[in-house]
Amino acid sequence: MKIVLLGAPGAGKGTQATKIAEQYGIVHISTGDIFRKNLKEGTPVGLKAKAYIDKGQLVPDEVTCEIVAERLKEKDCEKGFMLDGFPRNINQAEMLEKLCKIDAVVNIDVDLDKLMARLTGRRVCASCGESYHVSTFEGKKCPKCGGDVIQRADDTEETVGKRLRVYTEQTAPLIDFYKKRGVLYNVDGMKAIDEVFDEVKGVLDGLKK
Ligand code: AP5
């Protein structure tokens, strides 16, 4: 199964990806996580990406596409994978088409005006990446692994505003792009997390038949 998770910043791509990976055992590839890992390790890619991430802009396609192309060559992707946060513009989608055929694009559909609160209230574990929200979790240590729970540097109000604008201008056109190719499946991302996952499972189980 080769799938893409599409959705605005804060739509719940990472949240659903964790559940999908657990349930279906699919490799989860998040370009945002790859950049953050590189940043933590101080690699040249991480340092280059930081300048863009901090401004809420997309990292240049030549950097991102190269990373994804290399990652998809790895053995664990042979049977399938789930891309989270890639592609993010038409150019990246066209590059992906040259590499492989995608079975389904799951678009997590949300009201953009609800995302500011979701993102500025998000907290993540610096060790395992698990995501929390201040409305339901106030701890400083991750219940899963004991790591520090922190706020992502790009989850400030100003940067979230920019990320949402970039989504509208560059990423949202992918909905039509994939609709035309007959692989787009919408799920209602405004429902509770488990209800969204039920819809996602409906899509993915349908693909296996
Ligand atoms: P990336 O890390 O991909 O961030 P994003 O797309 O902005 O998405 P997020 O991780 O912020 O949100 P999400 O949809 O995963 O939501 P989550 O599940 O955490 O990218 C970061 C940056 O890297 C980009 O800005 C760019 O600079 C760069 N980058 C990455 N990929 C790139 C690419 N392809 N090209 C160029 N640059 C790239 O949920 C959010 C919050 O909501 C959490 O607190 C969660 O608990 C909560 N929540 C989730 N679902 C629900 C629900 N159903 N109801 C209520 N709350 C919910």
Side-chain angles (χ1 to χ4, degrees):
M1 198 158 30
K2 293 176 179 164
I3 62 174
V4 166
L5 287 183
L6 194 62
K13 301 180 296 295
T15 303
Q16 295 301 322
T18 304
K19 289 177 157 294
I20 295 167
E22 269 170 25
Q23 172 100 11
Y24 297 92
I26 312 177
V27 179
H28 172 202
I29 303 170
S30 156
T31 39
D33 286 351
I34 292 172
F35 288 136
R36 282 184 288 277
K37 182 169 183 283
N38 274 277
L39 187 54
K40 211 169 162 183
E41 291 167 357
T43 70
V45 163
L47 295 175
K48 181 155 194 192
K50 181 178 169 21
Y52 296 91
I53 294 173
D54 284 353
K55 286 190 219 142
Q57 296 170 353
L58 295 185
V59 178
D61 288 350
E62 61 269 22
V63 178
T64 312
C65 290
E66 166 82 16
I67 284 174
V68 172
E70 286 305 311
R71 180 66 186 89
L72 294 184
K73 281 184 201 159
E74 288 180 32
K75 199 159 175 50
D76 61 351
C77 293
E78 272 173 12
K79 286 193 183 138
F81 51 79
M82 160 178 46
L83 286 166
D84 157 9
F86 185 93
R88 251 181 155 91
N89 59 28
I90 299 285
N91 186 44
Q92 292 182 6
E94 287 173 346
M95 171 268 175
L96 183 61
E97 271 188 329
K98 288 183 192 142
L99 291 181
C100 63
K101 186 180 176 308
I102 294 297
D103 301 308
V105 174
V106 179
N107 179 42
I108 307 178
D109 193 22
V110 283
D111 297 342
L112 292 191
D113 57 358
K114 299 285 189 307
L115 295 181
M116 182 60 82
R118 266 201 200 179
L119 286 173
T120 53
R122 172 169 60 185
R123 299 293 179 268
V124 291
C125 173
S127 298
C128 72
E130 184 69 20
S131 182
Y132 302 98
H133 196 273
V134 288
S135 58
T136 51
F137 181 79
E138 289 181 345
K140 299 266 180 271
K141 294 285 175 192
C142 175
K144 268 199 171 174
C145 76
D148 288 335
V149 172
I150 55 157
Q151 181 173 32
R152 253 169 61 173
D154 59 346
D155 277 348
T156 59
E157 201 168 326
E158 189 190 351
T159 311
V160 170
K162 289 182 189 159
R163 286 161 62 199
L164 290 172
R165 277 196 293 284
V166 167
Y167 167 78
T168 303
E169 288 162 13
Q170 301 193 43
T171 311
L174 290 176
I175 295 173
D176 257 4
F177 179 93
Y178 284 117
K179 202 186 279 174
K180 283 186 186 135
R181 283 153 178 79
V183 291
L184 187 85
Y185 299 85
N186 283 309
V187 298
D188 182 358
M190 297 311 295
K191 291 184 178 171
I193 291 171
D194 285 341
E195 290 177 77
V196 180
F197 187 51
D198 284 341
E199 286 197 25
V200 171
K201 278 192 290 189
V203 172
L204 301 185
D205 290 344
L207 291 178
K208 289 198 291 186
K209 284 172 191 155

